[in-house]
Amino acid sequence: MIGSKMEMMFLMRRKIALSLVSVFTCLLAAWSAPVPSLAQGEVDPVEFRHKEIVRTVVDAIYTQGNVGVMDGFYTPTFTRHPSNSDLLTVKVSILALKAAIPDLRPSIPLIIADGNLVAFRLRLDGTLVNELVFPNSVPIPATNQPITLLTNIVMRFDENNLIAEEWDGFDNLGFLVQIGAIPPPQTEPVELPLVFNIQPSPREQQNKEATLAYYDGLSRNDFGVIDAYLRPDMSAYSVFGKMDRTAQNNDLSFLRNAMPDLSYTVDQVLAEANWTAVMYHVRGSFTQPYAASPDQPIQPTNQPFDLLVVTLYQFDEQGQVVESYELFDSFSFLSQLGLNVPRVPGS
Amino acid sequence: MRALIILTVMALVVMVAAPLPTSAEANDTVCATVLQTALVVLESACTDLQPGNVCLGFPGVQPSFINGDTGSPFDQAGQQLALSRIGMLRSEALNVTNGRVGLAALSFAVPNSAPPTVAATGLMIGEVELQLTSYSINVRTAFKDSPDQCQQAPAMVILRSPDNAEASLYVNGAMLLLNGMIAIHFQSANSASFIVQQGSVQIVGGPAAQAGSTLVAITDNTGTIMTWSAARPMSEKEVQLLSALQSLTGTYKAFAVMTTPAPATTNCSPVTHVVAHGETLYRIAQHYNTTMQAIIDANNISNPDAIYAGQALNIPCGTPTDTVKVSNPPASNTGNSGGSGANDGTTTTAQPGDSTGTIPCGDLTTAVAGSFNGIAENFSDSGLPMPSIGGGLPCQ
């Protein structure tokens, strides 16, 4: 009896928590604005080369499991954020994934470059046919089920065109769900596009500036600015589903009410064609009730959080966001907020 | 005479294999027959395996020689070559069409020892690639068995330490302290299972495991080990794989042939055994948990095939196969401290039946395990570790 009660408590709390994540997701995805931009130029050979390097590396390491190729394309001091992993740690995690999913198939539905930065969306498909190994942990058994991993990544190249840094929006919660470690959230599955609509745009610079202005509006809690950047029929995608602009704005309000000190710090923003990518940190403290469900508000934990988010925005010709693809580690988000299940004594 | 027996047995194998069955079940029968026969041939042909040599147990093993050594054909069961001449050995997967399976017995000698001292013995079975240097071996096996063709066609290398001694082996870039017997089998191009059949194994700078447990190594594409899992109980598939081998009688007999005789211990008294009709030295040795060589030595037997019913044999004290010796008593499950997992100085030991693990520091889950009890408990209840790929928080 205690076990089932605990399970019910856990499921209920998790559902609420995941709802909060969706809210948060929608909020973050709901901004961008029309601004004039620069004329479209010719292909930058360095940016082109950077994108080719990314494609080459992704294919070598995920298709072939050849992590040795990374030595030729990464600096020895390479760091992956937010885990602060070094190159060896990254290699090990890739090999572990490849060992568990030998048929791993990578694809890059979107890649853009801007200066020394490259942003791309990485999708990995395969079947978990072998156990998943993590250092010094008991392996996770194979599920023999298909698995799809998604992440948005920003890479910084150094002056020698070596990859020096990486910011990864990988969502551990979605990953844990897929490997069967925790039950899935009760949301409708969403079909994500495999190919993104990339069109030349004369508004690259304006879109970039619009993205920055949008985040400034978010930090100032200026909903007038926020709305100005979103087309009414826009769609915001996250690992938990798809939302429209109204739903996003509602969620943003709930989140802002629960975390009045919410702030956004843009670390990197880049633009190419009709897309921008932004890597930013969102910070705040859960000090007020979260009341998305009025009869069952989530009580504040007074816990602060600091989260890395990588989001991709598609702009229309008028400079408004048509689609957004946001990824962050929702497991880390929930954990930092302290949204946990209390232990049942004696269980 | 022995060559004639071997040829006869091999011919029988080909005859058995010739009418190709169509069902997987029928194939299994052929596979089992081929494998059993190969092991019997090896057992007969490699009784005098010399330290530092490889003995061909069954045709289907190809050596690559070093230093311009052109070598000679390696195609007769019982033929031996010095491992020092060989850079690489490749053995074939079991083939139901021609009734072949690569099989060889190996005796790794301590470098520069005089007289040659056996450091460890080994068997390579099925599709295996073995790179050799004077101080290390690099094992690669088929990335998966052929379930449709041969359920009982393992591709593995089995290593065994001498009785009552610990073997230090540099395998795929990792130092193993072996006190028993392990089977190495690749699950995929980037992961290898180290299945502890007897005794224990300690990875220097890594985890330890005891009989009935398996360590999984993550390797790069050359087979070099990058990191280790904690020990887990043998999987059902591994148990079946090894049971199949054991039931086919060859593995342990072959090792009994090769292994250094066990010195008598002070805790047992020799017994006398009267040979019954149909008994062999192998069966007697197995019955008393000792080696055939030990019985031969204790009775000055010149021809192991010439024992007779009614003969009284002195049975020396054996080495119980269930004895577990850990040279470096492992610490408790302390987890990782650097994220990469390798060479961090921590050790982990699992007993059969263990089902929990630790979380590498540097991963998100480590940082939140204390506060996020919901998922932590969920993991704990399910017996799963808490992983993180690409995510995580820095170690403090």
Side-chain angles (χ1 to χ4, degrees), chain A residues 129-189:
Chain A
V129 296
N130 292 320
E131 55 196 330
L132 192 53
V133 171
F134 294 90
N136 289 353
S137 296
V138 174
I140 295 173
T143 63
N144 292 309
Q145 295 295 313
I147 187 169
T148 296
L149 304 177
L150 284 171
T151 186
N152 294 342
I153 294 173
V154 175
M155 284 179 167
R156 180 179 67 80
F157 286 76
D158 73 357
E159 63 277 10
N160 298 315
N161 296 318
L162 296 174
I163 301 167
E165 237 174 332
E166 173 184 313
W167 294 267
D168 194 332
F170 187 81
D171 178 37
N172 277 294
L173 189 60
F175 175 64
L176 297 175
V177 167
Q178 290 200 58
I179 62 175
I182 57 175
Q186 296 171 359
T187 55
E188 291 294 321

Side-chain angles (χ1 to χ4, degrees), chain A residues 64 131 137-138 170 340 343, chain B residues 187 221 232 358 371 377 385:
Chain A
Q64 305 161 30
E131 55 196 330
S137 296
V138 174
F170 187 81
N340 56 357
R343 280 184 182 278
Chain B
Q187 296 184 21
N221 283 3
R232 60 155 171 76
T358 56
S371 61
E377 285 177 355

Side-chain angles (χ1 to χ4, degrees), chain B residues 63-253:
Chain B
S64 298
F65 294 94
I66 59 174
N67 298 329
D69 187 343
T70 55
S72 55
F74 192 54
D75 53 8
Q76 298 296 316
Q79 193 176 347
Q80 294 193 27
L81 288 171
L83 288 172
S84 58
R85 294 175 58 194
I86 298 169
M88 181 183 292
L89 282 168
R90 284 200 180 93
S91 58
E92 297 174 6
L94 194 153
N95 187 321
V96 296
T97 305
N98 60 17
R100 284 164 62 111
V101 58
L103 182 65
L106 305 118
S107 174
F108 300 101
V110 175
N112 303 318
S113 64
T117 304
V118 175
T121 48
L123 281 177
M124 53 192 300
I125 307 170
E127 191 176 5
V128 171
E129 181 182 282
L130 200 60
Q131 289 179 307
L132 302 155
T133 71
S134 58
Y135 61 90
S136 70
I137 59 175
N138 196 70
V139 176
R140 303 269 288 161
T141 74
F143 303 141
K144 61 175 185 178
D145 298 326
S146 305
D148 295 333
Q149 190 179 34
C150 273
Q151 295 281 1
Q152 297 183 348
M156 60 173 58
V157 169
I158 299 175
L159 299 173
R160 181 174 176 176
S161 63
D163 289 343
N164 291 339
E166 179 181 82
S168 299
L169 301 167
Y170 199 61
V171 180
N172 290 45
M175 180 63 80
L176 277 60
L177 304 178
L178 177 62
N179 217 321
M181 182 159 65
I182 56 170
I184 304 172
H185 169 69
F186 271 72
Q187 296 184 21
S188 71
N190 299 112
S191 61
S193 299
F194 285 63
I195 309 163
V196 186
Q197 295 172 261
Q198 294 175 8
S200 64
V201 65
Q202 166 79 53
I203 311 301
V204 175
Q210 297 184 353
S213 298
T214 296
L215 296 170
V216 184
I218 295 299
T219 74
D220 66 13
N221 283 3
T222 68
T224 300
I225 293 169
M226 305 286 282
T227 193
W228 293 90
S229 75
R232 60 155 171 76
M234 268 189 208
S235 69
E236 189 177 339
K237 181 182 176 186
E238 289 164 351
V239 170
Q240 288 174 350
L241 198 62
L242 296 175
S243 297
L245 266 183
Q246 194 166 8
S247 68
L248 294 174
T249 73
T251 304
Y252 301 103
K253 288 186 178 180

